[in-house]
């Protein structure tokens, strides 16, 4: 396993360069299997674990299933000080009787100050911890004044309940404005942003603001110097939920277009030539980019985790990376 430092200019700590996603733990993934995955991840040197307060509402869960499972695992295993736990808030149900939706009306709680304060404290209780290393706003909230949202996260960082605050599913201009607002308030800014990111990418569309863009990576690369506190990027769905290896998996989120099919074919060919799996090469591609990101991978078995771990120290040769980065029509597959 490899590690990198994340922070907000005031608080910093090291995390494993692969983050373990736990969305289905406690629901689709039973407790015994979940514990085995967590144990193996830590045994392999993994330290960064990601959850949220609204997972699995759509699969019959109550939202905090994975937080509660992690709490039971932490209580039984110990070692809290070696781990960095991240959770998210703001996208749980505002009205418990209504469903969640990605389109209006979303029924999201939002990122008002009272919601941030209450939900962060509830997450700490469910996880059984006295502080949360990372807390993201799960989905940007355009209805709440940005100064209120930023101030609420800043207050919890000042208190010590949160180590580093972050934001997810957000437009770049909102990240920049939020960080400038934090500086105006004299508090720690967002130190992390979590977006969808993988070897395939969606067609451009106004309003599609949940995907990593070259501009975001350029902005992140400009930080970490005097006057510009660091900003790291974490990536959810880095394996596109199995679509790189399974043809029966849906290509969702705007990526179902000819370029994607060509890139997946190229990825499989490169992986074969490299003696690795397509998933391992896709993760290594993210980890070793000019502006590296931290992939959040959510394996559902120990075997799947082992495949993910195989990417942790996989370095792609420059010529392999150049082949992957070439436009598909300019990179014909080997005969």
């Amino acid at each position: 396993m490899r590690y990198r430092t994340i922070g907000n200019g005031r608080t910093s700590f090291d995390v494993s360069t692969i983050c373990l996603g736990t969305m289905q733990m406690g629901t689709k993934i039973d407790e015994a299997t979940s514990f085995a995955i967590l144990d193996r991840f830590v045994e392999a040197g993994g330290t960064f674990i990601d959850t949220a307060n609204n997972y699995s509402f759509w699969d019959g869960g109550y939202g905090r299933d994975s937080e509660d499972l992690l709490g039971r695992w932490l209580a039984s295993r110990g070692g809290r000080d070696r781990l960095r736990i991240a959770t998210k808030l703001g996208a749980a149900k505002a009205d418990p009787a209504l469903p969640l939706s990605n389109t209006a009306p979303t029924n999201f709680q939002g990122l008002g100050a009272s919601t941030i304060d209450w939900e962060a404290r509830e997450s700490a209780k469910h996880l059984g911890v006295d502080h949360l290393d990372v807390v993201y706003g799960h989905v940007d909230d355009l209805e709440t004044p940005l100064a209120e949202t930023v101030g609420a996260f800043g207050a919890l960082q000042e208190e010590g309940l949160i180590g580093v605050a972050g934001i997810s599913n957000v437009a770049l201009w909102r990240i920049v404005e939020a960080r400038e607002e934090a500086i105006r308030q004299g508090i720690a800014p967002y130190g992390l942003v979590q977006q969808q990111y993988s070897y395939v990418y969606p067609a451009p569309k106004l309003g599609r603001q949940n995907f990593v863009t070259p501009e975001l990576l350029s902005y992140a690369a400009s930080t970490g110097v005097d006057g510009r506190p660091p900003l790291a990027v974490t990536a959810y769905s880095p394996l596109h939920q199995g679509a790189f290896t399974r043809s029966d998996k849906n290509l969702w989120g705007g990526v179902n277009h000819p370029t994607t099919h060509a890139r997946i074919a190229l990825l499989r060919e490169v992986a074969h030539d490299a003696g690795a799996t397509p998933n391992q090469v896709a993760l290594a591609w993210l980890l070793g980019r000019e502006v590296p990101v931290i992939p959040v991978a959510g394996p559902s078995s120990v075997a799947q985790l082992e495949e993910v771990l195989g990417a942790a120290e996989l370095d792609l040769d420059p010529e392999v990376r150049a082949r992957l980065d070439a436009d598909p029509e300019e990179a014909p597959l080997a005969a």
Side-chain angles (χ1 to χ4, degrees):
M1 188 64 69
R2 291 170 176 168
Y3 305 88
R4 62 176 291 185
T5 302
I6 61 173
N8 56 23
R10 301 187 184 186
T11 298
S12 64
F13 43 78
D14 290 343
V15 296
S16 53
T17 53
I18 289 180
C19 180
L20 181 66
T22 65
M23 182 171 70
Q24 295 182 338
M25 291 187 179
T27 48
K28 284 191 172 181
I29 307 175
D30 64 58
E31 186 148 324
T33 302
S34 298
F35 276 35
I37 293 169
L38 288 159
D39 288 343
R40 176 63 186 128
F41 181 67
V42 172
E43 179 186 51
T47 63
F48 201 10
I49 300 175
D50 186 270
T51 184
N53 72 345
N54 76 331
Y55 282 158
S56 293
F57 267 130
W58 46 89
D59 286 326
Y62 55 87
R64 294 191 185 272
D65 307 74
S66 62
E67 283 189 339
D68 285 339
L69 182 140
L70 280 172
R72 293 190 294 273
W73 176 76
L74 286 167
S76 67
R77 301 301 195 261
R80 167 68 178 98
D81 292 342
R82 302 195 308 272
L83 303 174
R84 300 300 181 183
I85 309 297
T87 193
K88 309 177 198 71
L89 54 80
K93 289 184 176 183
D95 183 343
L98 298 176
L100 292 175
S101 173
N102 287 324
T103 57
T106 62
N107 196 32
F108 294 151
Q109 287 180 314
L111 298 176
S114 60
T115 296
I116 291 171
D117 187 84
W118 171 264
E119 292 298 329
R121 297 181 194 282
E122 284 297 298
S123 286
K125 291 178 185 177
H126 283 259
L127 288 162
V129 299
D130 60 5
H131 70 281
L132 301 161
D133 299 295
V134 173
V135 176
Y136 299 94
H138 204 156
V139 178
D140 191 22
D141 177 4
L142 296 174
E143 303 301 318
T144 298
L146 196 56
E148 179 181 341
T149 297
V150 170
F153 278 118
L156 292 179
Q157 289 176 112
E158 293 289 335
E159 179 186 328
L161 180 65
I162 294 176
V164 176
I167 188 67
S168 182
N169 299 302
V170 61
L172 175 58
W173 69 270
R174 291 280 288 178
I175 302 169
V176 176
E177 287 202 1
R179 282 165 53 89
E180 291 298 317
E181 176 60 28
I183 291 172
R184 286 192 291 271
Q185 293 189 27
I187 56 180
Y190 293 146
L192 287 163
V193 57
Q194 185 174 125
Q195 301 281 85
Q196 185 185 347
Y197 193 31
S198 73
Y199 182 64
V200 298
Y201 45 83
K205 178 182 177 182
L206 185 64
R208 180 174 285 137
Q209 57 191 37
N210 64 317
F211 210 87
V212 168
T213 63
E215 290 82 4
L216 172 59
L217 295 177
S218 178
Y219 177 66
S222 76
T223 66
V225 297
D226 288 346
R228 296 178 69 81
L231 178 73
V233 179
T234 61
Y236 68 86
S237 297
L239 301 178
H240 212 80
Q241 299 181 352
F244 298 153
T245 58
R246 293 177 53 181
S247 58
D248 62 319
K249 287 289 187 176
N250 291 329
L251 292 169
W252 50 276
V255 305
N256 191 4
H257 51 73
T259 299
T260 288
H261 295 283
R263 284 177 73 83
I264 290 176
L266 176 59
L267 176 67
R268 291 172 179 172
E269 184 72 20
V270 169
H272 178 269
D273 292 346
T277 70
N279 286 337
Q280 288 171 336
V281 172
L283 290 172
W285 179 81
L286 288 171
L287 289 164
R289 299 210 72 189
E290 184 178 357
V291 183
V293 303
I294 300 172
V296 182
S300 58
S301 67
V302 173
Q304 289 182 2
L305 174 63
E306 294 292 352
E307 181 183 24
V308 169
L309 293 173
E313 298 186 28
L314 175 60
D315 295 317
L316 300 177
D317 293 336
E319 58 270 24
V320 172
R321 185 168 293 280
R323 187 178 173 195
L324 289 168
D325 288 338
D327 291 334
E329 61 269 22
E330 297 176 0
L333 302 184

